Amino acid sequence: QVQLAESGGGLVQPGGSLRLSCTASGLILENVAIGWFRQAPGQEREGVSCFSSNDGTTHYVDSVKGRFTMSRDNVKNTVYLSMNNLKPEDTAVYYCAADDNICDVTGLYEMDYWGKGSLVTVSS
């Protein structure tokens, strides 16, 4: 049974930082495409960052470039999303997702496996 478990969300002031974690079971993250997505209230889901073995690089949506960084720890089978200089418009439920083949920050590709999400609220 594949499970993805996010943690690290919470309330943070504008300009602050958070680091989200996603730990996988039943799946080796090193062998799949992995990424982060988010959904704000009343809005559609959007891609945030993706790593795919198809090109071997990490891609970010324009709105988070220079502020968010995705990384991984293969020993812990965990991926992270470090978020800096957070803005109110970053408020959303953040999901990690994995796929056997592809991760696309356009959000148009349906990933195979999803976590339950972690809420990030950016407010003063």
Side-chain angles (χ1 to χ4, degrees), residues 7-118:
S7 63
L11 176 65
V12 63
Q13 295 182 348
S17 300
L18 284 175
R19 188 178 77 164
L20 302 179
S21 300
C22 174
T23 299
S25 61
L27 183 71
I28 301 176
L29 292 178
E30 188 177 12
N31 296 336
V32 300
I34 186 72
W36 291 91
F37 300 80
R38 67 185 181 185
Q39 187 167 22
Q43 301 185 23
E44 296 183 351
R45 185 189 69 200
E46 65 174 345
V48 177
S49 66
C50 279
F51 177 83
S52 175
S53 60
N54 289 303
D55 59 18
T57 60
T58 303
H59 299 269
Y60 301 90
V61 69
D62 287 344
S63 60
V64 309
K65 287 181 179 177
R67 300 190 297 120
F68 291 10
T69 302
M70 192 171 74
S71 61
R72 66 171 63 192
D73 185 330
N74 291 331
V75 174
K76 296 181 179 179
N77 208 30
T78 298
V79 298
Y80 306 93
L81 184 67
S82 296
M83 304 181 293
N84 300 313
N85 192 24
L86 284 161
K87 304 175 180 180
E89 52 263 42
D90 294 318
T91 296
V93 177
Y94 284 73
Y95 302 88
C96 68
D99 189 86
D100 289 335
N101 298 293
I102 297 171
C103 184
D104 188 346
V105 293
T106 67
L108 299 178
Y109 182 82
E110 186 63 35
M111 304 291 282
D112 292 332
Y113 311 106
W114 291 84
K116 294 183 178 180
S118 184

